[in-house]
Amino acid sequence: MCGILAVLGCSDDSQAKRVRVLELSRRLKHRGPDWSGLHQHGDCYLAHQRLAIVDPASGDQPLFNEDKSVAVTVNGEIYNHEELRKKLVNHKFRTGSDCDVIAHLYEEYGEDFVDMLDGIFSFVLLDTRDNSYIVARDAIGVASLYIGWGLDGSVWISSEMKGLNDDCEHFECFPPGHLYSSKTGGFRRWYNPPWFSEAIPSVPYDPLVLRRAFENAVIKRLMTDVPFGVLLSGGLDSSLVASITARYLAGTKTAKHWGSQLHSFCVGLENSPDLKAAREVADYLGTVHHEFHFTVQDGIDAIEDVIYHIETYDVTTIRASTPMFLMSRKIKSLGVKMVISGEGSDEIFGGYLYFHKAPNKDEFHHETCRKIKALHQYDCLRANKATSAWGLEARVPFLDKQFINVAMSIDPESKMVSNQFIFVLELLGPLYMLLYFMNQIKRDEGRIEKWILRRAFDDEEHPYLPKHILYRQKEQFSDGVGYSWIDGLKAHADQHVTNKMMRNASNIFPHNTPTTKEAYYYRMIFERFFPQNSARLTVPGGATVACSTAKAVEWDAAWKNNLDPSGRAALGVHLSAYNAETPLSNMPSQVIDNIPRMIEFPGVAIQS
């Protein structure tokens, strides 16, 4: 990930303005420690902080067309740049950078070229022939971007809020999948996939089609000229990414430069669920595995830095960003500059545990659409900024445009979860889980979350993962790093936020009023760094349980009394906090109520 900053059409083109733009651009230097560039044309400034992943030697920015009449500053990766170059036979390229195609595509196709780009990006393009410019952001919003307006009529663009919040009268998140044109003075959505309308799809589930689509999404992200690795939590999503990467790495250009031995990285508290599972997956795949430990105190000490870099006060995002922030620093210290991660799967396939309560396939599908559209405010924000804080780039194959089109065209009936059967099997212990997998008992009727993804990679002849990893229950990242992490955060906030402060919360924070001491604590820190009203409006709000949208909270009346973003809030669904030896008397009543009294296996009757 790189950092871009542009000031367009300002009233001041003096040396003082140039110095100010450079000063603000340096606030983004953590995103691109490899090179700094600034291009000025009249009252327009394009600044860039580069993290060199492809063509480190000659791909410095801004990038230009042949006569330098079109200048571009880009943050991102264009995975189909070689194919696009073939369509631009009459153009001469100055560098081998994947982003070098953008200026030439604009010359050839005008503003309509953006949908031709396959990748993650945010860019500002300046056409000096008529002093017009366009700004665009990738389909889902993996690359962070903000837009602001100055009192002098200037338009400001920045990869992070800290690049413009002190100088703009108003600013906001640049919407994903949109283009801003100076010629029209407004936004238009360039990304218009079939699923965006939220119409219920009806394509039958084909496991091989889904498998091939995801393999292609991972393979194209192996495009790199620098050392890389995979983030491996031991959950389904990151484990599949690691498995596919390990399987196909040997045949890539990357392997010729850096070898075919894959490196994997995991973070957690001592003896956390993720560390144990990731270690097992790494051994199975034969990766060079790096395990990083942190303590609750380490995380608490980093909270202020995390909020400054992630630029949010959302509780879920801060909980999950902190371990990722700490891990990214360790990864970068090893000389690695790019990692592949598993964000996005839960939104596409309904993997969060609250999806177990979806009342019908229509509601299930609508919720997945809502979740994908909001990703830029949550998981994409975390993955992008927690890594780029240390000059590390995260790539997310689940959010590949083509893969999303395939996955979101499947009849949502196939994605629906049947909870009780899997719940009791896991409660009864590994012996019955083994029987279940050996006999594939009632697999279609007792489906665990993300069942269609699991089955797509359930290959008996050439297994991608161990069976119990392939069918490991969803564990939210902030839970999987260790359950005492969230408990420790709550205890810390309780020491710093009094009951009197909470009683006055609505007066102090009338917008998105914090309802817990933990939320209040984060909000205080955020407001210290970003006190503007525009800043607080960039953060979403609303009721949530186990990472649901506010609309999905309506699925279960009991959730209104248990509004917490942790996966453990999905009582009766989340199991990892309760093992098979936990007495029924010690389990929450909501869990006990979900246990059927009898399950029938073929030829076996088991009393619970």
Side-chain angles (χ1 to χ4, degrees):
M1 281 298 154
C2 303
I4 65 172
L5 177 71
V7 183
L8 305 157
C10 61
S11 60
D12 181 5
D13 60 357
S14 66
Q15 181 64 22
K17 190 66 174 182
R18 184 181 179 90
V19 170
R20 178 57 176 165
V21 173
L22 280 170
E23 178 186 345
L24 293 172
S25 179
R26 291 190 189 102
R27 293 184 181 181
L28 309 178
K29 197 168 185 177
H30 53 275
R31 297 183 65 89
D34 298 330
W35 173 259
S36 298
L38 175 63
H39 175 71
Q40 180 183 358
H41 177 77
D43 59 359
C44 294
Y45 301 82
L46 302 182
H48 187 263
Q49 301 288 343
R50 187 184 185 206
L51 178 65
I53 304 294
V54 176
D55 187 24
S58 67
D60 296 335
Q61 296 191 29
L63 298 165
F64 302 92
N65 63 339
E66 289 89 342
D67 63 4
K68 291 194 172 184
S69 61
V70 177
V72 188
T73 182
V74 190
N75 168 29
E77 303 290 339
I78 310 302
Y79 301 123
N80 64 335
H81 73 105
E82 292 183 351
E83 300 167 27
L84 293 173
R85 284 172 185 257
K86 294 175 182 177
K87 295 181 179 182
L88 299 165
V89 292
N90 297 322
H91 293 258
K92 293 182 180 180
F93 297 91
R94 295 174 178 272
T95 77
S97 168
D98 52 291
C99 296
D100 207 357
V101 297
I102 292 177
H104 302 280
L105 286 169
Y106 170 77
E107 281 190 295
E108 198 72 26
Y109 301 99
E111 294 181 356
D112 295 329
F113 77 90
V114 181
D115 198 25
M116 299 171 66
L117 302 175
D118 181 10
I120 56 174
F121 55 83
S122 58
F123 67 79
V124 180
L125 182 150
L126 174 64
D127 188 340
T128 63
R129 294 169 295 191
D130 60 2
N131 274 347
S132 65
Y133 57 86
I134 62 172
V135 186
R137 189 179 184 187
D138 67 72
I140 305 299
V142 177
S144 61
L145 195 65
Y146 295 83
I147 183 170
W149 293 267
L151 286 173
D152 62 353
S154 57
V155 175
W156 294 61
I157 305 295
S158 177
S159 291
E160 294 185 6
M161 194 159 57
K162 59 183 67 67
L164 49 69
N165 67 305
D166 289 335
D167 291 72
C168 293
E169 184 68 14
H170 173 74
F171 54 90
E172 59 192 48
C173 290
F174 194 100
H178 279 71
L179 178 146
Y180 182 92
S181 172
S182 65
K183 293 179 180 178
T184 61
F187 296 95
R188 67 176 175 86
R189 184 156 56 88
W190 63 263
Y191 179 56
N192 296 286
W195 66 267
F196 210 87
S197 68
E198 302 188 13
I200 308 303
S202 58
V203 175
Y205 166 56
D206 185 329
L208 289 181
V209 169
L210 189 64
R211 182 197 294 184
R212 292 191 193 104
F214 188 59
E215 286 182 329
N216 290 337
V218 174
I219 292 168
K220 72 174 67 171
R221 282 160 178 79
L222 301 182
M223 177 188 79
T224 177
D225 293 330
V226 298
F228 85 106
V230 293
L231 302 186
L232 179 59
S233 70
L236 172 68
D237 307 327
S238 65
S239 297
L240 282 178
V241 169
S243 177
I244 295 168
T245 303
R247 185 170 291 208
Y248 290 100
L249 178 60
T252 66
K253 294 179 183 178
T254 301
K256 293 178 183 178
H257 292 291
W258 303 105
S260 56
Q261 187 76 53
L262 180 65
H263 287 251
S264 57
F265 307 95
C266 186
V267 67
L269 302 177
E270 196 78 41
N271 300 317
S272 69
D274 280 0
L275 289 179
K276 179 181 178 182
R279 201 177 305 133
E280 187 174 355
V281 175
D283 289 343
Y284 182 83
L285 299 177
T287 68
V288 178
H289 191 56
H290 307 267
E291 186 175 287
F292 305 121
H293 297 173
F294 76 102
T295 66
V296 172
Q297 190 60 53
D298 291 334
I300 289 171
D301 291 343
I303 287 293
E304 292 204 9
D305 287 338
V306 169
I307 292 174
Y308 174 75
H309 280 285
I310 309 302
E311 302 180 325
T312 187
Y313 51 83
D314 175 68
V315 171
T316 316
T317 305
I318 294 169
R319 287 175 175 180
S321 293
T322 304
M324 198 169 193
F325 177 86
L326 295 171
M327 175 172 58
S328 296
R329 187 177 193 177
K330 293 281 192 179
I331 293 173
K332 187 60 184 290
S333 72
L334 298 175
V336 173
K337 298 178 75 173
M338 185 271 282
V339 290
I340 309 179
S341 190
E343 277 77 16
S345 172
D346 293 313
E347 286 75 12
I348 295 169
F349 294 105
Y352 292 107
L353 301 185
Y354 72 89
F355 274 94
H356 285 239
K357 296 294 183 74
N360 53 60
K361 74 174 189 178
D362 289 14
E363 275 297 302
F364 189 101
H365 181 70
H366 292 325
E367 178 70 359
T368 59
C369 293
R370 290 190 291 264
K371 290 292 292 181
I372 296 172
K373 291 175 183 178
L375 263 170
H376 67 287
Q377 298 175 301
Y378 296 101
D379 286 20
C380 287
L381 190 81
R382 166 178 56 81
N384 178 279
K385 293 182 180 178
T387 52
S388 63
W390 302 107
L392 182 68
E393 176 181 286
R395 296 182 178 175
V396 284
F398 278 108
L399 298 181
D400 180 82
K401 279 199 303 182
Q402 284 86 351
F403 177 72
I404 291 177
N405 286 342
V406 170
M408 292 301 289
S409 69
I410 298 171
D411 188 331
E413 186 71 38
S414 301
K415 298 181 182 180
M416 293 284 286
V417 181
S418 177
N419 179 49
Q420 283 191 332
F421 192 71
I422 296 293
F423 175 86
V424 179
L425 285 171
E426 292 195 357
L427 186 65
L428 291 173
L431 174 61
Y432 302 116
M433 287 290 284
L434 180 61
L435 286 172
Y436 171 64
F437 292 129
M438 288 177 62
N439 294 290
Q440 296 189 342
I441 302 165
K442 291 188 179 180
R443 183 164 289 208
D444 285 352
E445 298 172 26
R447 297 189 299 226
I448 193 171
E449 64 275 355
K450 292 185 287 194
W451 172 82
I452 64 171
L453 180 63
R454 300 174 195 272
R455 185 167 182 182
F457 288 91
D458 196 346
D459 189 329
E460 297 290 345
E461 294 185 9
H462 305 287
Y464 286 77
L465 294 168
K467 211 70 137 178
H468 63 283
I469 295 292
L470 190 62
Y471 289 92
R472 182 188 177 201
Q473 188 181 48
K474 164 67 184 174
E475 192 75 80
Q476 286 172 211
F477 185 53
S478 53
D479 288 326
V481 297
Y483 298 125
S484 58
W485 166 233
I486 291 177
D487 298 335
L489 286 174
K490 291 180 177 179
H492 180 74
D494 193 56
Q495 294 174 355
H496 289 79
V497 180
T498 66
N499 292 334
K500 183 178 180 180
M501 293 163 73
M502 289 302 299
R503 285 195 296 270
N504 292 325
S506 60
N507 297 314
I508 302 298
F509 305 117
H511 175 74
N512 277 350
T513 303
T515 58
T516 66
K517 291 185 176 181
E518 185 185 3
Y520 194 108
Y521 179 66
Y522 300 153
R523 185 65 172 273
M524 287 192 299
I525 298 171
F526 177 89
E527 297 269 347
R528 192 164 73 246
F529 291 130
F530 308 104
Q532 301 86 359
N533 187 54
S534 291
R536 62 182 66 99
L537 292 176
T538 64
V539 182
T544 182
V545 61
C547 284
S548 74
T549 65
K551 179 67 176 175
V553 173
E554 300 172 6
W555 291 351
D556 189 329
W559 283 346
K560 293 180 180 179
N561 300 318
N562 190 39
L563 294 176
D564 190 286
S566 168
R568 288 180 289 168
L571 295 172
V573 178
H574 185 275
L575 296 170
S576 295
Y578 316 111
N579 59 43
E581 292 155 3
T582 304
L584 288 179
S585 58
N586 289 353
M587 291 186 181
S589 60
Q590 294 96 325
V591 174
I592 298 172
D593 292 342
N594 273 275
I595 302 177
R597 292 295 125 193
M598 171 81 76
I599 311 171
E600 293 185 0
F601 289 78
V604 182
I606 301 173
Q607 296 285 342
S608 61

